[in-house]
Each structure stands twice: as C-alpha cells, then as structure tokens.
Amino acid sequence: MLVPPVLALLAACGGSATHQARELSQNATSWEATGRLTIKLLRRGAVPGRYAMQTLKVVSRELAKTRQGAQKLSP
Amino acid sequence: MNKLMEIALGLVTGIGGFLEAGSLATAAQAGGAFGFQLVWAMVLGTICIGFLVEMAGRLAAVSKHTLPDAMRERFGVKFFTVVLVAVLLVSFLVLASEIGGVALALQLATGIRFQWWAPVVALAVWLMLWAHNFGLIEKGASLLGLVTLVFVVGAVKLHAPVGAISAGLLPSLPHDDVARYWFIAVSIIGASVSPYLFYFYSAGAIEDGWDESYLRVNRVIAGLGMGFGGAVAVAVLVVAAMVFHSRGIQVDRYEQLPLMLAQPLGRWGFILFVASLGIACFGAALEIALQMAYLVAQGFGWKWGENIRPRDAARFSLVYTVAILLAGLVILMGIDPLKLTIFSMALTAMSLPVTVVPLLILMNDRLYVGDNGNHWIANGAVLFVSVIACIVAIVAIPLEIMGS
C-alpha cells in the first residue's frame, strides 16, 4: 500500500536540468498569470489599489528571481 | 434542550473553528497546483480527525481524564515526555503560523508589513486568554469563524463542477510534480489532523463537566461538526482550483490568496477573505496557546483551567504566555508565514504516530473507557492514515526542501 507513493517520491528525486527548467517555466507562468489576474481585478474595483501594488511588486520580484534562475541554467 | 444547545454550539465550533492557517494554505496550494486531484486527502484527513475528536471526547466523558493526564498515568512519565515534546514542538510551529496568518490579514488590510503586526497580534492573543474564560474563547472565536462559509458561497458562485470534484475523491497521480503532490497531500492530512484539535477538545469536555450522558452529543458534534468543517476546507480547495489552477497559478505566497475570492465575489470577496484569514487564524492561535498550557499543566499535574483566574493557576498561565511570546518572535523575524505553515503541517503529519497511537491504546483499555472502547474500524482507519502520512512525510519533506 505504501510502495506507490514512496517509489513515486523517490523517482522524483532526480533533479535534472530539464526538471529545473520545467519548474522555472511553471513559476514564470504562475507569476505572470497572478499579475494579469491582479490587474484585471483592480480594473473591476474588486481589490484595493494598495493591495494590487503590493502584489504586483511581489510578482515582479518573483519573475526577476525566475529570470536569474533561467540564466544560471543556460550554458 | 440543554444538550440540543450543546450540539448546536458544537456544530458551530466545528464549522467556524475548522479552518485555520494550515487548512486554508494547504487547500489553496492543493487547488492551485493540482485542481481537484487532492480532494481525497482532505476527506481522509476530515474522517480521521472526526474519529480522533470523538475518541478524545469519549475518553474525557467516561474516564474523567484529560488526554495528557491519562497518558502520563497509563504510559509513565518517560513516554509521556516524548509525546509532550512532539506535541509541543508541532503546536509551537502551528501557533507561529497562526500568528503569521493574522499578521498577514492585517498586512492585506493596511499595507503595513506583517512582521510589524506580529507583536500586536501576540499581545491581543495573550490578552484574550488572560482576561476571558473558556466558553467565550471557544464559542466566540467559532461564531466569528462562520465568516469562512464565504468559501462555500464562492464555490457556488463559480458553479463548481460536482462530477469533477467527486472524481477527486479517488487518489490519482499527476503527470509531473509527484514529490510536490505527496508533500501537499501529507500537509493537508497534517493540517486536518492537528493534535491541538483533539487535545483541546478533550480539555474542553472536562472544563464543561461532560459525563457518560454526553456520549451521543459527543458523537454528533464530532461527526457533523468535523464533517461540515471539512466541507468548508474542501470549498477552499474548489475555489482555488477554479480560480488559480485554470490560469496556471500556483500558490507560493499569501499575497496571492485574496484573488481567489475577489474573482467570484468582487470587493466583498476581498474583504471577506481578509476577515476569514484573520478571524480563523486568531481563533486557532487562542486554542493552540491554550492547548499547549493544558498539555503541560495536565501532564505535570499542575492546577489548570481557563475558567480559573490566571493568578490562581500561575504556571498554567506562564506556559501560554511564553508560547505566545516566542511564536510572536518567530514571525517578527520575518520568516515567510506560508512556508512556515506548510512545513508545520508536514511535520505534524510526520509526528502523527507519536501523538495518535497512545490515544488508540487508551481507547482500547477497559480501565479507562469500560465498555465504551473503540470499534476496530475506528482503530484501523486512524492507524492507517497516521502511519501512511508519517512515512510519506518522512520521504516528502527532504525532497521538498531540496526542491525549494
């Protein structure tokens, strides 16, 4: 009963460059989408401006981190 | 009539008190990353905590022993110390997470960084415990906690697909991110089966003077209260899946979370999210700090009780004072509350056998529960979930640390 989750976890151990690249790409997609949703909701008046500004700052910081990660990965 | 009132209040406590930093964060992360695929973990955790809460209440009602008291008596001081350290450690981390959750709600409301709110929140938690009695703390926090029902409203407004959610009741592996999938799964179970919930419930049953006539009340409260509470947590996952997963958003920061209610409910969604986060975490912080004090005081045989004036139970009051102070300091240091919350939940899952197995042994000991011992289904279900969650957590935590 325990074998499938534990084996699956151990198989995921291999931290290859492809895996890291996929993770970086997921991060970029996620933060870009967060930024887009924040702006959309700000325009609709669904979130306060102060919150939107703070969130967009976080988005830009996280995207910069992702870019740095991608630069380290590229040969 | 009195017992009907007890059941009603118990249900309110179950619904309003279920959601806290851990269940909110893990449900949102699960929904964002894997859609409805982790609904099963939430249901499994809810069933498990339902069983455990019922057992803790039954032990208190039949034996008139609180859980720590019975453990020390049955297993001796040495073993009790191991359980004490494990429960105190995970409870402390969860307490810090809850203080962080309230501080973040205040950051979302005011724009002032969460670290600066940590001392204010810690002081407010401490003042509530110092100045008020058990009933007000338990029922007041839970009544206000009903605001978390807004997640159910959000799920309805988004026209949550019942078929797809039901499909999530059966475990299925994702195509990639398997390590993260299992890490979030055990974090969900850890959040649902937090030991503070059943230790606190056991102390509450003694504070409220339960006897064997309360066994049915206990069963209804544990079953329905935890069931409805679990349904609110599933609603969080559903809303997160529909708003975040469909857009490829993974939840890595608390700042992302209000978007999930602002999308379906507009400005009120944002406001009610902030209120839900603040109230749920504040209520949980009160209960955890109190449970830590109960655990130490009951374990060492000190005078204890939230209905006693603090100066009459000085050592009991000192425990929650120190716990709140240190937990507030952790958040003041600027540790990311979301990461702290998720790791606390995974560690909670890892510690489950230590915190749960002694309760199972007590619940099968006729000296304590007489003819009201456990059914094999309850024993099997709780043991199964605890052991699996522990083993998967042991493998998943290092992988998640390496991954991040």
Side-chain angles (χ1 to χ4, degrees), chain B residues 316-338:
Chain B
F316 170 78
S317 311
L318 181 69
V319 176
Y320 67 68
T321 303
V322 172
I324 293 167
L325 181 73
L326 294 178
L329 277 176
V330 169
I331 300 302
L332 184 65
M333 281 159 59
I335 290 176
D336 180 351
L338 185 65

Side-chain angles (χ1 to χ4, degrees), chain A residues 57-74:
Chain A
K57 270 185 199 162
V58 173
V59 168
S60 102
R61 230 180 7 244
E62 293 296 329
L63 283 173
K65 267 192 219 166
T66 310
R67 256 195 308 276
Q68 278 173 2
Q71 278 163 359
K72 273 184 201 163
L73 265 188
S74 58

Side-chain angles (χ1 to χ4, degrees), chain A residues 9 13 30 44 50-51 54, chain B residues 109 111 250 255 263 391 399:
Chain A
L9 279 166
C13 269
S30 167
R44 251 172 50 190
R50 194 174 41 212
Y51 161 78
Q54 267 188 353
Chain B
Q250 302 205 15
E255 284 90 343
Q263 162 67 15
I391 295 174
L399 287 182

Side-chain angles (χ1 to χ4, degrees), chain A residues 1-14 19-20 22-23 26-42 44-52 54-56 58-59 61-62 65, chain B residues 107-113 173 176-180 182-183 243-244 247-260 262-270 384 387-388 391-393 395-396 399 402-404:
Chain A
M1 184 58 85
L2 264 174
V3 174
V6 172
L7 276 184
L9 279 166
L10 291 173
C13 269
H19 176 76
Q20 286 176 30
R22 192 171 42 76
E23 236 172 43
Q26 270 179 357
N27 276 350
T29 309
S30 167
W31 284 110
E32 272 171 21
T34 302
R36 273 198 301 274
L37 182 59
T38 307
I39 292 167
K40 180 182 144 192
L41 293 174
L42 177 68
R44 251 172 50 190
V47 293
R50 194 174 41 212
Y51 161 78
Q54 267 188 353
T55 308
L56 290 173
V58 173
V59 168
R61 230 180 7 244
E62 293 296 329
K65 267 192 219 166
Chain B
Q107 175 184 317
L108 293 170
T110 63
I112 298 168
R113 291 282 296 163
L173 278 182
D176 42 33
D177 267 350
V178 178
R180 188 155 182 74
W182 285 109
F183 180 75
V243 175
F244 293 148
R247 292 175 169 82
I249 297 176
Q250 302 205 15
V251 177
D252 294 313
R253 300 278 301 243
Y254 262 113
E255 284 90 343
Q256 293 168 287
L257 293 181
L259 300 173
M260 73 168 146
Q263 162 67 15
L265 303 174
R267 181 60 75 100
W268 274 106
F270 178 86
F384 174 79
V387 172
I388 296 242
I391 295 174
V392 176
V395 186
L399 287 182
M402 283 191 290
S404 56

Side-chain angles (χ1 to χ4, degrees), chain B residues 143-184:
Chain B
L143 264 176
L144 289 174
L146 289 178
V147 68
T148 56
L149 285 170
V150 68
F151 288 100
V152 179
V153 177
V156 172
K157 189 94 192 290
L158 286 163
H159 305 291
V162 180
I165 297 166
S166 312
L169 288 170
L170 286 177
S172 60
L173 278 182
H175 297 298
D176 42 33
D177 267 350
V178 178
R180 188 155 182 74
Y181 175 85
W182 285 109
F183 180 75
I184 296 179

